[in-house]
């Protein structure tokens, strides 16, 4: 479907959304649909005879008339209709957006103006007419969500946030673009700037985040909405660029969005035919609309948004009326619009020379304006839209009150979710194990934890990348998330799409609805997910990553599937909590910390091979310290040697310690289940566990030795894996690489003799 300026002039009104009800699939009465947002002028709809009779005041018209005559003296005429006047006002608003972009880049001597200039019409229209939000309460639950996957174009969003009335972006903030400590960093960060939903920058990630946001809305709408009480009903918009279109994560996420029929997701493609190295013809020649159509999307092309903003409005109307598919809107733009660099990759980033700035100002009649000038009437226009958002929030709160009165049980669950998703006493659901319980792999203990937690945590939702039966990451007794059959389902089937799974999980976590997402696969495949995992930590997304088959101990699948360097790399990610529990109790402890930390991502590395349910001395509660003493026969003396282990190798440390103790040695065994948590402990506690005066220390972990030197010290010994694994039975592989009680004991004795 293509939209060009040849089409009839559309209405400004946007069609109402189609809220999802619970199991009752009957269409809602028209009076129950949330009101659509309309521009605040006299508009004759193109598809109806009704008219919005809110008209401009004369003073307001006079102010705009003076501005528009000055700007468009050749095309402006007296006696224009209110509809035509609104179009000119929007056009002038776009001019103002572009000039603010230029001013900010010139002032900062840095930034990425190209995409921002090219997509000014789209950004302005979304914030001025389409999206529902309340700048006075940026976290209002039922707001529309906006994601800028092409994060380098963040200046467009900063300008729109400023004009829309968000306190987080003032003129001073635009003047401090990319400066240290500013609220306008070089790529959007949700923890820095209110109004930014997710942190983006690495191309394509935002598309997956947007899919996660849309999934969260569809899921909660199905669980909570009633025919007479619609409390979850909002849309997700995302802008992507040519670079995003090339990234594999976008195809993964888009495939799932269509499969899940996320019809409230609108993906807007900035088709400007440029990347940093030059024209997209160098490396990109596919029909992107055909690709998305084949995936199952509603696809629309807007041919000339620069001359006909109304064509974009029609595209949005099509998206709003679609009930089965997400919508992909291809918007043809000129990167660096107005500049001498227009249409070339040179416009992607960097400043403009003085002549170029002068010519841009002349083109939009901005010569006599000071830098960072905003036409006063634009603030007023945006304020009208903001007032509508505030009214919509009041109406939503009224609906919520009715919902609480009529559906108290569902309302209680919803309130728990809105408060973060953690009901009182949820920790008590976690299993406890004793030394006499049957052996199982830690992935098996993890399965028991998940299936106990889901009974108390209304927001627990997640799935595996086609490995649920192997990861043991499935919530029994709960349906799969699928539309239209079971959108209330809490198991998510991601298929073989690890990267998108992580990015989508970030979107779910950052939806702000108390949902607690988990994402499961083999630890080796965390490499596919690394960028999204890093963004979990950067954006404070409390995703729980469940990674099984955590070492060469997985055996027969061989070195392609046996992780070696993965733990070291993941432990290096700032803020990420990496757990490698040794038994059932430590697994429970890892989940306790992971669930409680809603603004910190966690990764739990779990074994395929069986280990003891309860190694004597392990503690679920002590996992929160990251490291603790499991056993020690030193009484009041210091130990002669400290054996430090994680995961399945902690049993080897304990077995070796028992041998050494029988020979009269004083031996301490320490579980270092989470390095980052241990590093955060007070110095006194760390000294208690690992006394600096005890230099004979040995670590045992079936992974890379990188990082262990900090804990064993200069004289210590590291038993690790510094080459790829090998295919073979688990015990044979462990023996080949020295992970036996005998070898650990031999190494400890050698260290004691030094």
């Amino acid at each position: 479907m293509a939209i060009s300026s040849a089409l009839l002039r559309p209405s400004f009104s946007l069609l109402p959304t189609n809220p999802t009800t619970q199991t009752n699939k009957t269409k809602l009465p028209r009076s129950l649909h949330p009101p659509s947002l309309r521009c605040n002028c006299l508009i004759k709809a193109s598809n109806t005879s009704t008219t919005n009779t809110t008209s401009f005041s004369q003073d307001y018209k006079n102010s705009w008339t003076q501005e528009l005559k000055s700007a468009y003296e050749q095309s402006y005429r007296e006696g224009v209709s209110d509809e035509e006047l609104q179009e000119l006002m929007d056009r002038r608003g776009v001019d103002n957006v572009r000039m603010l972009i230029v001013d900010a880049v010139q002032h900062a001597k840095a930034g990425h103006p190209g995409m921002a200039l090219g997509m000014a019409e789209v950004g302005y229209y979304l914030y001025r007419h389409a999206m529902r939000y309340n700048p006075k309460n940026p976290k209002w639950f039922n707001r529309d969500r906006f994601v800028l996957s092409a994060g380098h174009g963040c200046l467009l969003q900063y300008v729109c946030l400023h004009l829309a009335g968000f306190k987080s972006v003032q003129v001073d903030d635009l003047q401090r673009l990319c400066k240290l400590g500013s609220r306008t960093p070089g790529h959007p960060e949700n923890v820095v700037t209110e109004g930014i939903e997710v942190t983006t920058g690495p191309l394509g990630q935002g598309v997956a985040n947007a899919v996660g946001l849309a999934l969260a809305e569809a899921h909660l709408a199905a669980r909570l909405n009633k025919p007479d009480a619609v409390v979850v009903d909002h849309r997700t918009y995302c802008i992507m660029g040519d670079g995003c279109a090339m990234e594999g994560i976008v195809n993964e996420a888009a495939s799932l969005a269509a499969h899940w029929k996320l019809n409230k997701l609108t993906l807007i493609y900035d088709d400007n035919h440029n990347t940093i190295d030059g024209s997209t013809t160098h490396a990109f020649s596919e029909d992107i609309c055909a690709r998305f159509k084949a995936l199952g999307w509603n696809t629309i092309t807007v041919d000339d948004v620069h001359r006909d903003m109304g064509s974009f409005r029609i595209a949005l109307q099509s998206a709003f009326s679609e009930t089965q598919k997400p919508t992909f809107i291809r918007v043809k733009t000129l990167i660096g619009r107005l500049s001498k660099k227009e249409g070339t990759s040179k416009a992607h980033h960097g400043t403009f020379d003085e002549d170029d700035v002068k010519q841009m100002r002349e083109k939009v009649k901005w010569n006599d304006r000071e830098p960072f000038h905003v036409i006063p009437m634009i603030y007023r226009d945006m304020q009208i839209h903001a007032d509508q958002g505030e009214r919509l929030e009041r109406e939503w709160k009224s609906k919520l009150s009715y919902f609480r009165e009529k559906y108290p049980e569902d309302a209680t669950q919803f309130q728990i979710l809105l408060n973060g998703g953690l009901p009182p006493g949820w920790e008590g659901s976690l299993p406890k194990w004793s030394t006499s319980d049957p052996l199982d792999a830690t992935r098996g203990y993890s399965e028991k934890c998940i299936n106990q937690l889901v009974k108390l945590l209304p927001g627990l939702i997640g799935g595996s990348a086609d490995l649920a039966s192997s990861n043991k990451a499935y919530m029994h007794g709960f349906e799969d998330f699928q539309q239209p059959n079971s959108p209330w389902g809490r198991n998510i089937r991601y298929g073989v799409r690890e990267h998108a799974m992580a990015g989508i999980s970030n979107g779910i976590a950052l939806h702000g609805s108390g949902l607690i997402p988990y994402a499961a696969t083999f630890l080796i495949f965390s490499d596919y997910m690394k960028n999204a995992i890093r963004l979990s930590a950067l954006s404070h997304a409390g995703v729980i990553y469940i990674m099984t088959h955590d070492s060469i101990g997985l055996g027969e699948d061989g070195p392609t599937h046996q992780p070696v360097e993965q733990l070291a790399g993941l432990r290096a990610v700032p803020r990420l909590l990496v757990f490698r529990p040794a038994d059932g109790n430590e697994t429970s402890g890892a989940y306790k910390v992971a669930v409680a930390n809603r603004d910190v991502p966690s990764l739990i590395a779990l074994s395929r091979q069986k280990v003891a349910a309860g190694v004597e001395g392990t503690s679920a509660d002590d996992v929160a310290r990251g490291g603790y003493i499991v056993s020690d026969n030193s009484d009041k003396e210091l130990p002669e040697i400290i054996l430090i282990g994680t995961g399945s190798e902690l049993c080897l440390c304990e077995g070796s310690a028992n041998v050494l103790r029988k020979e009269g040695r004083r031996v301490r065994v320490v579980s270092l289940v989470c390095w980052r948590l241990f590093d955060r402990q007070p110095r006194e506690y760390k000294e208690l566990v690992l006394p600096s005066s005890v230099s004979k220390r040995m670590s045992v972990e079936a992974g890379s030795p990188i990082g262990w030197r900090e804990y064993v010290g200069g004289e210590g010994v590291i038993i690790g894996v510094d080459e790829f694994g090998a295919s073979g039975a688990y015990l044979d592989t462990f023996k080949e690489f020295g992970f036996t009680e005998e070898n650990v004991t031999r190494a400890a004795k050698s260290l004691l003799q030094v």
Side-chain angles (χ1 to χ4, degrees):
M1 175 181 180
I3 295 176
S4 71
S5 57
L7 291 169
L8 293 175
R9 192 181 307 282
S11 162
F12 279 91
S13 66
L14 296 179
L15 299 178
T17 57
N18 296 286
T20 307
T21 62
Q22 210 166 11
T23 54
N24 183 357
K25 300 300 187 298
T26 57
K27 188 175 181 181
L28 293 178
R30 187 169 185 84
S31 61
L32 295 176
H33 285 292
S36 59
L37 296 188
R38 300 173 182 267
C39 76
N40 304 281
C41 61
L42 186 65
I43 296 299
K44 183 176 291 184
S46 61
N47 58 350
T48 178
S49 60
T50 60
T51 301
N52 180 354
T53 56
T54 304
S55 57
F56 300 123
S57 70
Q58 193 59 48
D59 288 345
Y60 184 69
K61 271 189 175 182
N62 291 341
S63 298
W64 265 116
T65 297
Q66 185 177 353
E67 176 68 31
L68 296 174
K69 278 184 177 180
S70 173
Y72 311 127
E73 53 189 350
Q74 293 183 352
S75 58
Y76 181 82
R77 58 181 175 76
E78 296 290 346
V80 297
S81 68
D82 280 357
E83 181 180 355
E84 292 170 318
L85 181 60
Q86 181 66 61
E87 290 183 347
L88 289 171
M89 288 157 51
D90 286 342
R91 180 178 166 188
R92 195 55 173 161
V94 172
D95 290 343
N96 205 154
V97 168
R98 287 198 169 102
M99 288 299 98
L100 286 171
I101 291 166
V102 171
D103 290 341
V105 169
Q106 295 301 102
H107 191 272
K109 296 181 173 56
H112 296 78
M115 176 266 182
L117 290 172
M119 287 288 280
E121 285 88 357
V122 170
Y124 180 84
Y125 189 85
L126 287 174
Y127 277 90
R128 171 64 185 90
H129 294 294
M131 292 198 304
R132 299 185 299 181
Y133 57 85
N134 179 9
K136 293 181 180 178
N137 182 14
K139 297 297 184 182
W140 169 40
F141 169 77
N142 212 36
R143 69 190 181 278
D144 289 338
R145 269 67 168 180
F146 174 79
V147 177
L148 188 64
S149 185
H152 55 276
C154 59
L155 188 48
L156 173 61
Q157 190 172 12
Y158 295 151
V159 168
C160 289
L161 287 172
H162 169 66
L163 296 178
F166 285 78
K167 293 181 180 179
S168 55
V169 184
Q170 302 297 311
V171 170
D172 288 349
D173 297 300
L174 296 176
Q175 292 172 342
R176 300 195 66 235
L177 177 69
C178 300
K179 302 301 182 186
L180 187 64
S182 77
R183 294 189 291 187
T184 48
H187 288 82
E189 298 179 41
N190 64 305
V191 297
V192 172
T193 315
E194 280 197 329
I196 303 295
E197 300 288 353
V198 298
T199 295
T200 59
L203 296 177
Q205 292 290 334
V207 174
N209 299 162
V211 173
L213 291 166
L215 182 151
E217 192 276 345
H219 171 73
L220 290 173
R223 283 175 62 178
L224 296 168
N225 285 350
K226 311 296 180 185
D228 62 338
V230 176
V231 292
V232 182
D233 176 28
H234 48 268
R235 307 189 70 87
T236 302
Y237 301 87
C238 178
I239 290 178
M240 61 174 270
D242 288 304
C244 297
M246 298 180 199
E247 290 286 357
I249 188 174
V250 168
N251 205 64
E252 291 182 23
S255 174
L256 284 167
H259 178 72
W260 290 330
K261 304 184 188 304
L262 299 177
N263 65 294
K264 289 186 183 176
L265 171 62
T266 301
L267 182 56
I268 304 164
Y269 169 38
D270 173 26
D271 182 14
N272 64 42
H273 290 288
N274 278 277
T275 56
I276 293 175
D277 279 352
S279 170
T280 53
T281 57
H282 294 329
F284 194 57
S285 54
E286 68 198 58
D287 185 336
I288 189 71
C289 279
R291 191 219 295 183
F292 272 77
K293 185 175 182 180
L295 290 173
W297 286 62
N298 170 35
T299 60
I300 305 167
T301 294
V302 174
D303 285 316
D304 192 357
V305 73
H306 298 317
R307 291 184 176 83
D308 181 17
M309 216 188 311
S311 58
F312 178 64
R313 185 188 320 116
I314 284 186
L316 287 180
Q317 287 178 323
S318 173
F320 280 29
S321 61
E322 175 59 58
T323 60
Q324 297 295 317
K325 301 175 181 180
T327 294
F328 177 81
I329 304 177
R330 175 192 182 195
V331 182
K332 296 181 181 180
T333 68
L334 289 168
I335 188 173
R337 177 70 169 163
L338 296 183
S339 167
K340 291 189 295 186
K341 303 176 185 178
E342 180 183 291
T344 72
S345 61
K346 294 178 181 179
H348 177 269
H349 63 275
T351 58
F352 304 97
D353 62 44
E354 290 184 11
D355 287 342
D356 199 358
V357 173
K358 182 180 179 181
Q359 288 181 27
M360 283 190 278
R361 284 176 159 265
E362 288 175 350
K363 287 176 183 178
V364 295
K365 300 294 194 282
W366 214 260
N367 311 60
D368 58 342
R369 306 284 168 88
E370 292 294 320
F372 299 98
H373 174 77
V374 176
I375 299 168
M377 294 81 76
I378 291 178
Y379 280 136
R380 178 177 171 181
D381 288 352
M382 286 292 194
Q383 183 59 51
I384 292 170
H385 190 70
D387 291 344
Q388 288 180 331
E390 191 173 357
R391 174 179 57 80
L392 287 171
E393 182 176 2
R394 288 195 303 269
E395 291 175 0
W396 176 78
K397 287 180 177 178
S398 178
K399 285 184 183 179
L400 192 58
S401 296
Y402 173 78
F403 182 73
R404 289 186 180 121
E405 291 176 9
K406 189 166 182 182
Y407 306 100
E409 187 175 336
D410 288 327
T412 298
Q413 186 179 85
F414 192 25
Q415 194 60 52
I416 290 171
L417 290 169
L418 293 177
N419 290 338
L422 301 179
W426 66 267
E427 306 96 327
S429 67
L430 286 163
K432 298 178 176 63
W433 282 274
S434 70
T435 55
S436 61
D437 286 329
L439 299 180
D440 200 351
T442 50
R443 64 172 174 168
Y445 302 130
S446 168
E447 178 182 31
K448 294 178 176 66
C449 289
I450 292 170
N451 279 278
Q452 290 301 311
L453 284 168
V454 71
K455 297 174 183 178
L456 267 77
L457 297 177
L460 191 62
I461 184 172
S464 178
D466 199 50
L467 290 170
S469 60
S470 192
N471 295 145
K472 309 294 184 184
Y474 192 83
M475 295 175 285
H476 303 293
F478 292 84
E479 295 178 84
D480 294 345
F481 173 83
Q482 292 288 349
Q483 292 202 96
N485 298 329
S486 53
W488 49 83
R490 292 165 70 177
N491 289 295
I492 303 176
R493 301 283 190 174
Y494 285 105
V496 190
R497 302 182 183 92
E498 293 89 355
H499 198 180
M501 174 176 67
I504 290 168
S505 297
N506 282 338
I508 296 171
L510 295 172
H511 185 247
S513 55
L515 293 178
I516 302 173
Y518 68 81
T521 186
F522 292 170
L523 181 59
I524 191 71
F525 300 138
S526 64
D527 287 347
Y528 284 132
M529 308 161 65
K530 185 67 175 297
N531 201 287
I533 292 174
R534 185 176 187 271
L535 283 172
S536 298
L538 182 59
S539 59
H540 297 194
V543 179
I544 301 173
Y545 293 100
I546 301 170
M547 302 288 179
T548 67
H549 297 58
D550 68 344
S551 74
I552 60 170
L554 67 88
E556 290 83 355
D557 279 348
T560 61
H561 282 54
Q562 293 170 351
V564 174
E565 74 280 11
Q566 280 68 30
L567 283 172
L570 290 163
R571 284 167 173 158
V573 177
R575 300 190 83 249
L576 177 66
L577 299 180
V578 179
F579 299 88
R580 191 164 182 254
D583 63 3
N585 287 321
E586 285 199 345
T587 303
S588 280
Y591 274 103
K592 182 179 178 181
V593 176
V595 170
N597 284 273
R598 289 297 75 233
D599 62 349
V600 177
S602 299
L603 186 147
I604 306 176
L606 302 160
S607 72
R608 180 196 183 199
Q609 70 273 26
K610 292 184 177 181
V611 296
V615 176
E616 190 161 354
T618 59
S619 164
D621 290 338
D622 283 338
V623 169
R625 294 178 178 268
Y628 62 97
I629 299 169
V630 173
S631 64
D632 192 347
N633 67 330
S634 304
D635 293 328
K636 295 182 180 180
E637 298 182 77
L638 288 173
E640 296 176 80
I641 188 171
I642 301 175
L643 306 182
I644 312 169
T646 73
S648 54
E649 293 78 76
L650 186 67
C651 290
L652 299 179
C653 293
E654 191 62 27
S656 175
N658 288 333
V659 173
L660 295 171
R661 288 165 185 160
K662 289 176 182 178
E663 297 178 1
R665 295 292 192 174
R666 301 188 307 276
V667 184
R668 174 177 293 181
V669 175
V670 168
S671 172
L672 205 61
V673 60
C674 179
W675 292 13
R676 178 155 279 115
L677 289 178
F678 183 72
D679 292 345
R680 291 175 181 172
Q681 299 306 306
R683 183 172 56 184
E684 295 77 14
Y685 177 78
K686 290 186 285 187
E687 177 66 21
L688 178 68
V689 176
L690 298 176
S692 55
S693 57
V694 180
S695 60
K696 298 183 187 304
R697 307 178 189 177
M698 187 167 71
S699 67
V700 186
E701 183 176 71
S704 171
I706 293 174
W708 275 108
R709 184 59 60 190
E710 180 178 347
Y711 302 102
V712 301
E715 299 178 34
V717 171
I718 301 169
I719 298 181
V721 182
D722 56 7
E723 56 186 282
F724 294 116
S727 180
Y730 135 62
L731 289 175
D732 293 340
T733 306
F734 256 33
K735 183 177 181 180
E736 176 69 19
F737 284 86
F739 292 95
T740 63
E741 186 178 306
E742 293 76 17
N743 187 58
V744 172
T745 303
R746 189 183 308 114
K749 286 181 177 180
S750 297
L751 181 58
L752 284 166
Q753 291 171 2
V754 173

